[in-house]
């Protein structure tokens, strides 16, 4: 047998003859052609190909030539595996007894089989009268006696196994929780190819959680401690390697999957929340009030059908109580405001999310945060601060650390500081920026670092993605040996789909990116400030001004999420800007204290911080003016005025101010930061409350599109029909609505002398004809593929997936005007566009000035 490991979706055609078993030759010599060479063929030869891809897309030809075995771990199989790990940790003797019973049962069954074979062999070899054969009779007696003993042992083992399994099943809830969490973690690879996690790395976190969870003599309490510790550790482990935009998505997906495992989540509700109303036909009933969103009204119709017992009369209630619903709709925080009428107390927390989707999409993102907080706790929407010390503690010589870069992030500086603190400074830390011609140097440095116990950082690995295959092979050899225990490999790379999965799965992934939210940004900044740093400067104004600087830093970072409303140009403000400004504060205040000057040099500080450091990045005059305004608002003698205390912002429920601290101790500031609310409104930055509507709406739609990727794409689609039948109906419905292509020659003759509107018309009709033909061909081939007449190609699979999820297929989107519409809304727009073109080509209409809508 021969094994090809870690193959990709491309399989070299040179082995086609092997896969097809195209054996040639006659007589004793048999051979196969490999390229232009004849290779002798042995009948006992077996070829195996292994891939780490979770869902490889091979051509139908490859599937026809080979036997494909899905060896991916299943939820039930992983649950049993984790159960053995838990029992071995909690009750080692019980797991040893189970293994012993399995071994004894296997030995007894083998002995029983040997006895049967011996008996049959004696009977077959005997001659004459069997009753006269004393030796055969004795053999029969001995076999019968041994077989009886074996049967008794097997019965006893079966009874003991039931007792052992009953005791082991007491720990099954924790194993089930662990299996669900692993699949939530592994499914994140559908969102970003860099989110790859292996079962081996997951088991390390699982075992660590078993050791760190609080012990308890009562089994149920012990299980609760294990599950709580494991869930939190997996959340922290995942968030270390996730971008900020995906952390709430992970928390929500984890909450949903755990609720499904507990039986408290309705799949129909989840399907509606993710997809809304994807029907191609609009509701016959018109909306009763103009303020109701058009798509929200269509979503409401489907929601009433999905939940008739609870929400069957929602449309009628909105019609009758329009004033109450309008007041709720206009509130700033409808997700926290009780629903009008009977819906205030009759809806579950997830049903409230579904109703909110029908009215205020812009508040969904915040409502999801509240949902996760209510079910799991606030700690599951508060990502941990990335600590380089913590990353180093989790690392191992055979587990590389991969920094996934975001704009403006550079972990090299922090790594150098960590190396100095850990005793790996100087020659024990090596840096190499990857680029053309650096391949050999990287491998030499790696070999040296492995043997001498050095730290090696390879920067910008995405610039040499092909070489990373060599690095993966070299790492396989390192894993087979014994590297120095102090050796560590640090890699930095931008997200790239070609990064080797083998390295990603065994690595510890780290994303250094500013968190979302004012509170989390302040907490992140103060996490990097040591107690000693606040005492470096003897000036009494130093600790309060550090907090002012931290607040200013958080504000300028948070404004980025509001797009053009926040900054005209997006700037990569980072921790280095804050660190340099902190040094400026320390230098100027220390000098003032030494000179006995009670005045603080505000003008110099505001210029260096607002104009030089942060303003140096600002290339827009209006952005620079905003920075200077913040400097004028946040820096001055007025911040120490005791008669009229200074406040950054005062709201109904929150007061952003400088914490009171007589000695400037760090804990006073961190305690105040922890008391702040997790979410903040745009008012804090001096923006209008409506500034976050565009951001929140885009964040919600982005989350829905990613949740679609995480949903299972098999099984029933709802309504009692299979997924294939559902897709077939949608495809047939669209086919029936497709018009005939325009006859361009006839239109050109009809127009006569071409005018500018005529030229535009012909160009538009040509594009529209290409779109219609592409839709006709793809839908026809999809119907044939669903019927099994042709193979399901990657292109057709993408079309089927899009139709199932109510999205516009990418091959249609490439030929259509740019749009963000769902499939149903796009089909309505498609028909309106066809009607517009039809009216345009009629006689005497060619000179009418028309505006072609490119509505998103």
């Amino acid at each position: 047998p021969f094994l090809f490991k870690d193959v990709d979706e491309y399989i070299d055609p040179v082995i086609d003859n092997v896969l097809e078993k195209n054996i040639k030759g006659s007589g004793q010599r048999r051979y196969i052609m490999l390229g232009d060479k004849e290779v002798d063929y042995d009948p006992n030869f077996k070829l195996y190909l292994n891939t780490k891809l979770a869902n490889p897309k091979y051509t139908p030809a490859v599937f026809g030539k080979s036997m494909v075995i899905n060896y991916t771990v299943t939820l039930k199989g992983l649950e049993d595996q984790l159960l053995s790990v838990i029992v071995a940790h909690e009750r080692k003797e019980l797991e040893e007894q189970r293994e012993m019973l399995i071994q004894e049962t296997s030995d007894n069954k083998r002995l029983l089989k040997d006895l049967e074979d011996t008996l049959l062999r004696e009977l077959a070899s005997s001659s004459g009268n069997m009753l006269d054969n004393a030796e055969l009779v004795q053999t029969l007696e001995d076999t019968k006696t041994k077989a009886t003993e074996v049967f008794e042992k097997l019965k006893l083992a079966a009874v003991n196994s039931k007792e052992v399994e009953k005791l082991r099943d007491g720990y099954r809830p924790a194993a089930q929780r662990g299996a669900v969490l692993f699949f939530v973690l592994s499914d994140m690879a559908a969102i970003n190819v860099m989110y790859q996690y292996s079962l081996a790395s997951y088991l390390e976190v699982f075992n660590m959680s078993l050791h760190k969870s609080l012990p308890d003599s009562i089994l149920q309490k012990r299980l609760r401690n294990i599950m709580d510790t494991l869930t939190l550790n997996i959340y922290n482990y995942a968030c270390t390697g996730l971008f900020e935009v995906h952390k709430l998505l992970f928390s929500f997906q984890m909450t949903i999957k755990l609720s499904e495992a507990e039986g408290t989540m309705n799949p129909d509700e989840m399907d509606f929340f993710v997809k809304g109303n994807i029907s191609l036909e609009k509701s016959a009933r018109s909306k009763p009030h103009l303020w109701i969103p058009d798509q929200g009204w269509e979503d409401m119709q489907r929601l009433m059908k999905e939940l008739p017992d609870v929400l069957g009369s929602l449309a009628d209630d909105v019609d009758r109580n329009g004033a109450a619903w309008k007041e709720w709709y206009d509130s700033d925080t409808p997700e926290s405001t009780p629903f009008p009428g009977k819906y205030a107390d009759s809806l579950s927390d997830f049903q409230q999310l579904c109703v909110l989707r029908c009215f205020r999409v812009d508040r969904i993102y915040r409502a999801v945060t509240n949902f996760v907080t209510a079910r799991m706790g606030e700690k599951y929407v508060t990502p941990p601060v990335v600590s380089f010390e913590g990353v180093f503690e989790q690392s191992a010589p055979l587990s590389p650390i991969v920094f996934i870069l975001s704009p403006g992030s550079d972990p090299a500086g922090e790594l150098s500081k960590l190396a100095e603190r850990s005793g790996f400074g100087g020659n024990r830390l090596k840096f190499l920026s990857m680029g053309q011609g650096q391949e050999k140097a990287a491998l030499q440095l790696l070999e040296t670092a492995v043997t001498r116990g050095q730290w090696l950082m390879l920067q910008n690995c995405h610039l040499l993605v092909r070489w990373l295959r060599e690095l993966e092979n070299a790492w396989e050899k390192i894993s087979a040996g014994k590297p120095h225990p102090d050796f560590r490999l640090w890699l930095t790379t931008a997200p790239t789909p070609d990064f080797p999965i083998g390295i990603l799965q065994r690595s510890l992934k780290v994303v250094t990116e500013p968190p979302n939210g004012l509170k989390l940004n302040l907490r992140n900044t103060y996490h990097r400030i040591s107690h000693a740093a606040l005492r470096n400067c003897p000036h009494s104004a130093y600790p309060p001004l550090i907090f002012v600087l931290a607040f200013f830093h958080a504000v300028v970072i948070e404004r980025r999420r509001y797009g053009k409303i926040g900054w005209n140009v997006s700037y990569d403000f980072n921790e280095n800007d804050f660190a340099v400004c902190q040094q400026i504060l320390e230098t100027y205040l220390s000098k003032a204290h030494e000179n006995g000057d009670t005045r603080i040099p505000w003008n110099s500080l505001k210029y260096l911080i607002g104009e030089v450091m942060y303003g140096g990045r600002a290339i827009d005059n209006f952005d620079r003016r905003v920075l200077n305004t913040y400097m004028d608002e946040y820096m001055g003698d007025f911040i120490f005025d005791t008669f009229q205390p200074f406040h950054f912002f005062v709201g109904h429920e929150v007061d952003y101010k400088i914490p009171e601290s007589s000695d400037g101790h760090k804990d006073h500031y961190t305690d105040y930061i922890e008391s702040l609310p997790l979410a903040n409104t745009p008012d804090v930055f001096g923006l209008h409350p409506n500034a976050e509507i565009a951001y929140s709406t885009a964040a919600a739609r982005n989350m829905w599109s990613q949740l679609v990727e995480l949903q299972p794409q098999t099984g029933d689609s709802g309504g009692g029909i299979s997924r294939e039948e559902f897709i077939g109906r949608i495809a047939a419905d669209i086919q029936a609505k497709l018009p005939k292509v325009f006859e361009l020659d006839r239109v050109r003759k009809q127009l006569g002398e071409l005018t500018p509107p005529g030229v535009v018309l012909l160009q538009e009709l040509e594009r529209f004809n290409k779109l219609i033909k592409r839709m006709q061909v793809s839908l026809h081939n999809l119907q044939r593929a669903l019927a099994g007449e042709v193979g399901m190609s990657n292109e057709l699979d993408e079309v089927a997936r899009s139709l199932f999820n109510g999205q516009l297929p990418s091959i249609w989107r490439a030929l259509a005007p740019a749009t963000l519409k769902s499939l149903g809304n796009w089909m309505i727009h498609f028909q309106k566009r066809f009607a517009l073109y039809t009216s345009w080509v009629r006689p005497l209409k060619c000179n009418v000035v028309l505006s072609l809508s490119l509505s998103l």
Side-chain angles (χ1 to χ4, degrees):
F2 189 82
L3 172 65
F4 278 115
K5 293 181 63 178
D6 304 338
V7 298
D8 294 326
E9 293 181 348
Y10 173 77
I11 296 180
D12 198 318
V14 74
I15 65 171
D16 280 350
N17 286 332
V18 179
L19 297 179
E20 295 172 358
K21 293 187 177 179
N22 190 9
I23 306 170
K24 298 181 180 181
S26 59
Q28 293 184 350
R29 184 172 185 265
R30 305 176 72 187
Y31 64 91
I32 281 183
M33 295 297 298
L34 289 182
D36 58 350
K37 296 182 179 179
E38 295 182 358
V39 179
D40 291 340
Y41 178 80
D42 191 303
N44 297 321
F45 171 75
K46 300 291 182 182
L47 176 63
Y48 299 91
L49 292 89
N50 162 269
T51 179
K52 291 183 178 180
L53 299 175
N55 187 25
K57 296 179 180 179
Y58 295 113
T59 62
V62 173
F63 282 98
K65 298 174 187 175
S66 57
M67 178 186 295
V68 180
I69 301 175
N70 185 1
Y71 207 67
T72 307
V73 64
T74 62
L75 184 65
K76 180 62 178 174
L78 181 58
E79 180 182 322
D80 293 336
Q81 183 177 347
L82 295 180
L83 180 61
S84 298
V85 175
I86 295 175
V87 175
H89 181 269
E90 298 295 309
R91 297 188 60 179
K92 188 175 181 180
E93 74 287 350
L94 190 63
E95 189 64 19
E96 291 176 350
Q97 183 182 357
R98 172 178 170 272
E99 294 176 356
M100 184 178 65
L101 287 172
I102 293 175
Q103 184 64 38
E104 288 181 356
T105 301
S106 177
D107 293 341
N108 288 328
K109 287 183 178 180
R110 188 182 303 109
L111 177 59
L112 189 62
K113 181 69 169 54
D114 292 341
L115 291 175
E116 292 174 353
D117 293 342
T118 302
L119 178 60
L120 292 175
R121 186 171 59 253
E122 291 291 337
L123 290 174
S125 61
S126 65
S127 58
N129 190 348
M130 289 188 295
L131 297 178
D132 296 337
N133 190 338
E135 184 178 351
L136 177 61
V137 172
Q138 185 62 38
T139 301
L140 291 174
E141 289 293 334
D142 294 342
T143 302
K144 180 179 179 181
T145 302
K146 292 181 180 179
T148 303
E149 293 177 0
V150 171
F151 274 120
E152 291 298 325
K153 290 181 179 180
L154 289 175
K155 289 181 180 180
L156 180 61
V159 173
N160 293 335
S161 296
K162 288 183 179 179
E163 295 178 355
V164 171
E165 289 300 325
K166 185 177 180 180
L167 294 174
R168 293 176 78 250
D169 281 343
Y171 297 92
R172 189 167 292 276
Q176 184 184 38
R177 171 67 64 91
V180 171
L181 291 176
F182 171 75
F183 280 97
V184 172
L185 192 64
S186 61
D187 287 346
M188 292 301 292
I191 305 301
N192 191 310
V193 293
M194 303 299 289
Y195 301 157
Q196 300 285 346
Y197 300 93
S198 66
L199 182 58
S201 61
Y202 177 80
L203 288 175
E204 293 179 5
V205 183
F206 189 84
N207 287 320
M208 178 190 69
S209 301
L210 293 178
H211 288 286
K212 289 190 175 182
S213 55
L214 295 176
D216 200 295
S217 58
I218 301 176
L219 178 59
Q220 295 303 320
K221 292 184 179 180
R222 171 60 178 161
L223 289 178
R224 175 50 55 190
N225 293 339
I226 291 176
M227 291 189 290
D228 291 345
T229 304
L230 173 64
T231 307
L232 184 60
N233 286 342
I234 290 298
Y235 173 74
N236 292 336
Y237 173 74
C239 285
T240 302
L242 296 180
F243 290 106
E244 286 297 320
V245 70
H246 297 142
K247 290 180 180 179
L248 181 60
L249 172 71
F250 176 75
S251 300
F252 182 68
Q253 179 73 355
M254 183 169 63
T255 306
I256 293 300
K257 290 300 181 181
L258 292 179
S259 299
E260 287 180 354
E262 296 169 358
T264 59
M265 175 58 63
N266 185 342
D268 293 336
E269 294 178 4
M270 181 62 186
D271 187 72
F272 167 80
F273 177 73
V274 173
K275 300 178 183 178
N277 191 345
I278 59 176
S279 174
L280 299 181
E281 302 293 338
K282 292 300 178 183
S283 172
R285 180 177 178 179
S286 59
K287 61 182 184 180
H289 306 288
L290 293 177
W291 52 267
I292 301 177
D294 292 337
Q295 184 58 43
W297 178 253
E298 299 299 328
D299 290 345
M300 193 186 303
Q301 306 308 308
R302 182 191 171 189
L303 183 59
M304 291 189 297
K305 293 180 182 179
E306 296 287 353
L307 303 172
D309 297 336
V310 183
L311 296 168
S313 61
L314 178 60
D316 296 331
D317 293 334
V318 173
D319 190 2
R320 287 193 300 266
N321 304 321
W325 281 94
K326 181 66 164 62
E327 182 181 356
W328 171 83
Y329 173 82
D330 288 336
S331 62
D332 291 336
T333 56
E335 72 279 0
S336 304
T337 305
F339 288 96
K342 63 180 182 180
Y343 302 104
D345 303 317
S346 61
L347 301 180
S348 67
D349 51 358
F350 195 80
Q351 289 169 353
Q352 292 176 12
L353 279 179
C354 295
V355 175
L356 184 65
R357 177 192 171 109
C358 300
F359 293 93
R360 292 286 299 272
V361 175
D362 61 295
R363 302 305 300 176
I364 286 293
Y365 198 75
R366 179 58 189 163
V368 167
T369 304
N370 294 342
F371 172 78
V372 176
T373 302
R375 289 209 176 185
M376 302 286 291
E378 186 174 327
K379 56 189 174 183
Y380 290 99
V381 291
T382 309
V385 178
V386 176
S387 168
F388 277 68
E389 284 80 3
V391 170
F392 175 58
E393 289 177 1
Q394 297 180 51
S395 66
L398 296 179
S399 178
I401 300 96
V402 177
F403 289 98
I404 307 175
L405 300 178
S406 59
S409 64
D410 183 15
E414 290 291 333
L415 182 62
S416 297
K417 296 177 183 178
L418 173 65
E420 292 292 339
R421 293 193 298 267
S422 305
F424 286 88
N427 293 329
R428 300 196 66 185
L429 174 62
K430 301 295 183 181
F431 290 92
L432 181 64
S433 183
M434 301 305 296
Q436 188 173 3
Q438 298 291 344
E439 298 90 338
K440 292 184 178 180
L443 291 177
Q444 291 174 356
L445 286 175
L446 177 63
E447 183 179 354
T448 303
V450 169
T451 55
R452 298 183 181 180
Q454 297 174 346
W455 287 8
L456 173 62
M457 177 175 239
L458 302 180
Q459 298 172 284
N460 303 322
C461 292
H462 56 279
L463 301 179
L464 280 180
V465 174
R466 293 185 178 179
W467 174 80
L468 291 177
R469 296 292 180 187
E470 296 183 32
L471 177 63
E472 186 177 16
N473 295 333
W475 196 260
E476 291 287 347
K477 298 178 181 178
I478 294 173
S479 301
K482 291 184 178 181
H484 195 285
D486 292 337
F487 164 70
R488 294 294 186 276
L489 177 63
W490 311 76
L491 308 174
T492 69
T493 177
T496 172
D498 298 324
F499 203 96
I501 295 178
I503 296 179
L504 288 176
Q505 287 186 342
R506 61 164 58 96
S507 68
L508 177 62
K509 288 163 283 296
V510 182
V511 174
T512 55
E513 190 180 25
N516 288 332
L518 197 60
K519 172 183 176 178
L520 297 183
N521 267 292
L522 285 170
R523 191 180 69 158
N524 186 58
T525 300
Y526 263 83
H527 178 78
R528 301 174 186 274
I529 301 175
S530 63
H531 291 275
L534 289 178
R535 300 176 182 274
N536 287 343
C537 179
H539 201 291
S540 60
Y542 182 66
L545 283 180
I546 288 295
F547 184 85
V548 171
L549 180 62
F551 192 89
F552 168 75
H553 178 73
V555 167
V556 298
I557 288 179
E558 277 299 290
R559 284 183 69 108
R560 289 189 304 193
R561 69 177 182 176
Y562 299 110
K564 296 296 183 181
I565 298 176
W567 299 108
N568 289 332
V569 179
S570 181
Y571 304 109
D572 297 329
F573 299 118
N574 54 49
E575 290 298 327
N576 292 331
D577 298 323
F578 175 84
V580 174
C581 292
Q582 182 181 354
Q583 291 293 328
I584 293 173
L585 277 177
E586 181 180 341
T587 301
Y588 273 79
L589 292 182
S590 297
K591 184 177 181 180
H593 183 269
E594 291 174 3
N595 297 335
D597 192 353
T598 59
R599 294 174 301 174
I600 297 177
W602 293 115
N603 291 333
S604 299
L605 292 176
K606 288 193 290 187
Y607 179 80
L608 290 173
I609 296 174
E611 284 283 356
V612 177
M613 287 309 303
Y614 287 89
R617 295 182 180 271
I619 60 176
D620 184 86
N621 290 333
F622 290 102
D623 290 340
R624 191 175 294 109
R625 186 174 71 174
V626 170
L627 289 170
N628 291 331
T629 302
Y630 279 130
M631 287 287 98
D632 292 337
E633 291 291 327
Y634 292 170
M635 287 196 169
D637 291 328
F638 54 85
I639 68 174
F640 301 110
D641 190 347
T642 56
F643 178 74
Q644 187 176 357
F646 170 74
H647 301 271
F648 295 103
F649 174 79
V650 180
H652 296 292
E653 300 178 354
V654 64
D655 180 9
Y656 291 97
K657 61 181 182 179
I658 302 176
E660 297 180 2
S661 176
S662 58
D663 57 355
H665 200 273
K666 178 183 175 180
D667 291 343
H668 297 152
Y669 295 95
T670 55
D671 292 344
Y672 170 76
I673 292 172
E674 293 300 325
S675 68
L676 295 175
L678 190 63
N680 55 270
T681 60
D683 309 62
V684 182
F685 315 125
L687 299 174
H688 192 275
N690 289 345
E692 66 178 349
I693 290 180
Y695 162 75
S696 300
T697 302
R701 297 192 185 282
N702 188 38
M703 176 181 288
W704 283 331
S705 66
Q706 292 165 349
L707 283 171
V708 165
E709 298 296 325
L710 295 177
Q711 300 311 301
Q713 300 295 320
T714 57
D716 293 340
S717 63
I721 62 175
S722 67
R723 177 180 183 269
E724 288 72 19
E725 291 173 335
F726 179 80
I727 295 173
R729 290 184 183 182
I730 296 293
D733 193 5
I734 296 177
Q735 276 183 308
K737 295 180 179 180
L738 288 180
K740 295 182 179 179
V741 296
F742 290 97
E743 299 179 12
L744 297 183
D745 292 337
R746 184 181 64 82
V747 174
R748 189 176 289 107
K749 290 179 181 179
Q750 181 178 319
L751 292 176
E753 183 180 354
L754 287 181
T755 60
V759 173
V760 174
L761 171 62
L762 291 174
Q763 292 175 344
E764 289 295 323
L765 293 183
E766 184 179 1
R767 289 184 58 192
F768 202 70
N769 281 350
K770 290 181 180 179
L771 175 60
I772 295 175
K773 291 177 182 178
R774 190 56 182 266
M775 294 173 67
Q776 289 173 340
V777 171
S778 60
L779 290 173
H780 176 69
N781 291 337
L782 178 61
Q783 295 278 40
R784 295 184 62 195
L786 293 174
E789 297 176 4
V790 296
M792 181 71 77
S793 64
N794 293 341
E795 184 179 275
L796 293 180
D797 183 59
E798 193 275 332
V799 173
R801 184 186 181 93
S802 298
L803 296 184
F804 181 72
N805 294 324
Q807 299 173 330
L808 185 63
S810 59
I811 61 173
W812 300 358
R813 188 187 300 274
L815 299 176
T819 181
L820 297 176
K821 295 179 182 294
S822 63
L823 179 62
N825 290 331
W826 184 84
M827 282 303 300
I828 294 175
H829 180 73
F830 175 84
Q831 292 172 316
K832 289 181 178 179
R833 183 176 285 268
F834 174 74
L836 173 65
Y837 291 153
T838 303
S839 65
W840 199 356
V841 300
R842 290 173 184 169
L844 305 179
K845 293 287 185 180
C846 60
N847 292 324
V848 178
V849 178
L850 297 174
S851 174
L852 291 180
S853 171
L854 298 180
S855 171
L856 297 179

